[in-house]
Amino acid sequence: VNLSDQRLRPDEVALLSKGLNYAITMDVLPMKDFICGIEKAICNLDLDIQNSVRMKCTGLFSAMNRDFGSTNVDELKVLKRLCKDPDIVILKADKGGATVAMNKLDYVAKTMELLGDTSTYRILQKDPTKSIINKAVIKILDFKRQDKFCVGEYGRVYPRVLVPPRFYSLPKVHKEGNPLRPIVSNIGSPSYALAKYLCDIISPLVNNSTCTVKNFYQFVEMLKTMSLMDEDRLVSFDVVSLFMSVLVRDALECLEDRLVEENSWRERTKLQVSDIIALVDLCLSTIYFVFQGVVYEQIHGMAMGSPLSPVMANLFMEYLEISAL
């Protein structure tokens, strides 16, 4: 989808139509970069796990070397030309998987309009990354001393990078005016690994209510078993800005109630209810990010892009649905 003022060349359209997950074939694998990245990622894991990862990667590298072809020089030239164009940005559409080209000025202006909402965001004078890492390390080391982590978990959750979350926006091409959806990328941020770990514990507790359907197909099958009258109507409700609308303290209360009600999660961790609540609060209480060199804080709600946000939001919505029904 071309929302820019530029007329894209046929070879540019052909390349972009393959999607942002398409990778141009390279003649030679950057093996040294791969190995350095893997070693950095596993350095704090248990030795047995490190060796297991190395063995699996060795097999993958061997297969990749056999299957590699020659570089598509023409596509590489097109990609470099698009990357060097200062007037457009290439994005993924919010829904549908389409690739979108936008004027960079329009993209920045719309994003700054989002960030200009002082009821949701405010500018920070200092990057809080180091402070958040220190808080996380203190809490994680305390739990380690209390033997509350299973084998390999300590190395998994220990923050190893000093990268603040990044803010970007995705265009809603299915809506008039192509508004942007704000996204905070937490990958590589201080609390990302911890949030992923907590998701493994909490996720099985969600989407188990009687008023939840997994997908459209399950919904259709449910309708087949129901007796509908001519006057029956199907009504759909949508929550505007769901993640930002759910207050962290309310979501934490719902989580605590669910953890007390169910015990299946105890098979997945040695942590106690209060420990999980404290760690989730640590991940969600300070939502900040960087956009164009400026550090912002999200005042309320949960961040789009955090692994915990969809889990906690769904948990909260299940509570509302059960209460209403």
Side-chain angles (χ1 to χ4, degrees), residues 86-89 102-112:
D87 298 323
I88 64 171
V89 290
M102 283 186 67
N103 293 325
K104 187 172 183 178
L105 291 177
D106 293 342
Y107 171 74
V108 173
K110 285 189 174 184
T111 302
M112 293 304 297

Side-chain angles (χ1 to χ4, degrees), residues 86-244:
D87 298 323
I88 64 171
V89 290
I90 307 299
L91 307 161
K92 181 179 71 172
D94 178 50
K95 292 182 179 179
T99 303
V100 182
M102 283 186 67
N103 293 325
K104 187 172 183 178
L105 291 177
D106 293 342
Y107 171 74
V108 173
K110 285 189 174 184
T111 302
M112 293 304 297
E113 184 178 351
L114 289 174
L115 296 176
D117 180 4
T118 55
S119 65
T120 304
Y121 306 106
R122 65 184 173 198
I123 296 177
L124 297 179
Q125 300 302 317
K126 184 179 179 180
D127 185 348
T129 300
K130 290 185 178 180
S131 173
I132 294 174
I133 287 181
N134 290 337
K135 290 180 181 179
V137 168
I138 291 173
K139 183 70 69 175
I140 291 170
L141 287 176
D142 182 42
F143 285 166
K144 183 186 179 184
R145 283 191 290 267
Q146 298 179 52
D147 192 31
K148 291 187 175 182
F149 287 123
C150 299
V151 176
E153 290 181 345
Y154 168 74
R156 176 184 174 187
V157 302
Y158 191 91
R160 297 184 295 273
V161 291
L162 294 172
V163 180
R166 284 84 63 198
F167 184 93
Y168 64 97
S169 307
L170 300 180
K172 301 179 182 181
V173 295
H174 59 289
K175 293 189 176 182
E176 185 178 355
N178 308 120
L180 300 181
R181 178 187 296 276
I183 303 290
V184 177
S185 174
N186 285 270
I187 298 176
S189 65
S191 62
Y192 182 75
L194 180 59
K196 292 278 287 184
Y197 164 72
L198 292 169
C199 280
D200 291 343
I201 300 173
I202 301 170
S203 293
L205 303 179
V206 186
N207 297 330
N208 295 321
S209 72
T210 55
C211 54
T212 299
V213 292
K214 294 181 180 179
N215 49 46
F216 170 79
Y217 301 103
Q218 184 186 15
F219 179 63
V220 171
E221 292 301 317
M222 291 175 61
L223 289 179
K224 291 179 180 179
T225 63
M226 299 174 63
S227 298
L228 300 177
M229 308 296 290
D230 291 340
E231 60 270 20
D232 289 337
R233 295 292 182 269
L234 176 64
V235 180
S236 175
F237 295 97
D238 186 25
V239 180
V240 178
S241 301
L242 173 60
F243 291 173
M244 293 185 182

